[in-house]
Amino acid sequence: MKKALMLARKGERWVSPNPMVGTVIVKDNRIIASGFHEIFGGNHAEVNAIEHASEKIEDATVYVTLEPCTHFGKTPPCVNRLAAMKPARVVIGTLDPNPIVTGKGVAFLNHHGIETTVGILADACTNLNERFFKFIRTKTPFITLKFAQTLDGRIATSSGHSRWISSLPSRRLAHTLRSIHDAILVGVGTIRQDDPELTVRLIRGRNPVRVVVDSHLQIPLHAKVLKDQEAAKTIIATTSSASSEKRKALIDMGIEILTVSKDAQNRIDLAHLFAALGQNNISSVLIEGGSNVITTVLKERLADRVVIVIAPKIVGKGIEAVGDLNITTMEDALKFSHQKIFRRGDDIVIDVRTEKTGK
């Protein structure tokens, strides 16, 4: 199962919104096949393993990180192919949380005389697909909040200059995070200040959908995120207060406009926005700022994961990463569960999960 988990992660940048899955087939204490879900719309892990088998898998043991599917999607059900191959046993890391699958794969295999075991390295198999599990169970995306800051907590100098706070290895990490999320989200202030492309360039991977939070459609029409929609789609989230002329101009450029509710401060209601993105089958969102968006996400407890890159720099007065959260006592401080702390170049990266992750 450990080998199956390692294989599954190879599909991380390519399979979303599907889960990552790995399969290893063992016969007479020998591995005779392995495979993983390589790309969205392609064969699932079990089928890839079967097709790579060096001999018949009849009477073999199949190890798979996630319960085999039982429904027709972009590919036929995996359980049908497995049952036809007649393995003696299927060992499953964790059940699929999808209600149209959960438990049904196991029942199908048992009905066809195939022994099943469920729950081997279950926590690792569940954590592997934390984004998928959250989305399937709540219909809202898994939210990762990522930002780079100086030692004194600044994401830019007092003039707004921020390139570059972090090292090149840290920026490669940021592009990796982009590639494993369905969408990347920033506020319009970031667009106006930095004019980022919000694409994956420093590594090999898919471009996420670009989402800009822009209550009054202040985005410049020459912004980089409005270009090359075939390579990376852009959605602008706005409110009913936005200019109809600007709205039409953006639509004429091929930009999707998503109108969402306002919050108490007449800004975009991010919880409503995330629900709307979920309805569009966006299962995970990476948030890269700026300060107002970061603060709102934390204040409203919307993040599932927080990744903070801390650079060994001090700038003094500047733009703080996190604004006022209305917290006055340490008992009310936001709490996170530790995942890992590591280095990228000269920077320290802290990767944590919130206490409520939706898993």
Side-chain angles (χ1 to χ4, degrees), residues 44-347:
H44 289 186
E46 302 93 322
V47 174
N48 280 331
I50 289 169
E51 294 186 350
H52 294 155
S54 59
E55 57 188 271
K56 291 183 179 180
I57 72 168
E58 186 173 355
D59 296 326
T61 298
V62 178
Y63 294 84
V64 59
T65 56
L66 187 69
E67 180 180 15
C69 66
T70 57
H71 63 292
F72 282 88
K74 290 187 176 294
T75 60
C78 293
V79 289
N80 292 3
R81 187 72 180 271
L82 277 172
M85 297 295 103
K86 299 180 180 179
R89 182 178 176 223
V90 177
V91 179
I92 299 166
T94 185
L95 294 178
D96 191 323
N98 192 333
I100 67 174
V101 177
T102 187
K104 296 181 177 66
V106 171
F108 184 95
L109 294 170
N110 290 339
H111 177 73
H112 285 78
I114 299 170
E115 178 187 347
T116 57
T117 301
V118 180
I120 304 302
L121 297 183
D123 287 346
C125 291
T126 299
N127 291 337
L128 172 74
N129 282 305
E130 61 181 342
R131 299 186 294 277
F132 172 76
F133 272 62
K134 158 81 183 289
F135 179 63
I136 290 296
R137 288 173 172 169
T138 68
K139 304 305 180 186
T140 57
F142 184 94
I143 306 299
T144 299
L145 175 62
K146 176 266 170 187
F147 55 91
Q149 66 173 45
T150 60
L151 285 175
D152 49 346
R154 305 295 187 239
I155 60 172
T157 66
S158 57
S159 68
H161 188 265
S162 61
R163 292 189 176 180
W164 294 103
I165 290 175
S166 57
S167 64
L168 178 58
S170 292
R171 298 200 294 277
R172 289 197 181 101
L173 170 65
H175 282 238
T176 298
L177 289 171
R178 290 179 181 183
S179 73
I180 66 174
H181 288 78
D182 291 347
I184 179 171
L185 181 147
V186 300
V188 70
T190 296
I191 299 297
R192 297 178 71 181
Q193 178 66 38
D194 298 334
D195 195 20
E197 294 180 50
L198 301 182
T199 54
V200 175
R201 301 180 306 281
L202 299 182
I203 63 159
R204 182 169 171 264
R206 299 188 307 177
N207 286 325
V209 173
R210 301 175 290 194
V211 181
V212 180
V213 177
D214 187 359
S215 300
H216 301 288
L217 292 184
Q218 297 175 323
I219 187 169
L221 293 178
H222 58 77
K224 291 177 181 177
V225 294
L226 302 181
K227 300 175 182 177
D228 200 4
Q229 293 300 297
E230 292 185 2
K233 176 182 176 181
T234 297
I235 298 173
I236 299 184
T238 192
T239 67
S240 57
S241 301
S243 159
S244 57
E245 291 83 2
K246 188 70 168 287
R247 185 188 297 264
K248 182 180 184 303
L250 289 164
I251 291 173
D252 289 344
M253 294 172 66
I255 306 302
E256 180 178 344
I257 306 296
L258 184 61
T259 303
V260 296
S261 303
K262 302 176 186 178
D263 63 14
Q265 287 75 43
N266 288 320
R267 298 175 303 188
I268 286 175
D269 185 323
L270 290 181
H272 181 253
L273 170 58
F274 295 153
L277 293 175
Q279 292 173 2
N280 285 327
N281 208 36
I282 290 176
S283 66
S284 57
V285 178
L286 173 67
I287 297 173
E288 288 197 357
S291 181
N292 289 336
V293 174
I294 293 170
T295 301
T296 301
V297 168
L298 291 174
K299 182 182 288 187
E300 296 183 13
R301 275 60 168 181
L302 296 174
D304 299 293
R305 178 185 182 187
V306 179
V307 179
I308 305 173
V309 177
I310 303 175
K313 301 175 182 178
I314 293 176
V315 298
K317 185 179 180 181
I319 299 174
E320 57 190 1
V322 183
D324 185 13
L325 299 178
N326 294 331
I327 292 173
T328 57
T329 67
M330 278 298 167
E331 288 76 12
D332 294 328
L334 301 185
K335 298 177 179 63
F336 302 91
S337 62
H338 167 260
Q339 290 293 308
K340 54 187 176 180
I341 300 175
F342 55 96
R343 286 187 62 174
R344 281 291 184 273
D346 292 332
D347 308 326

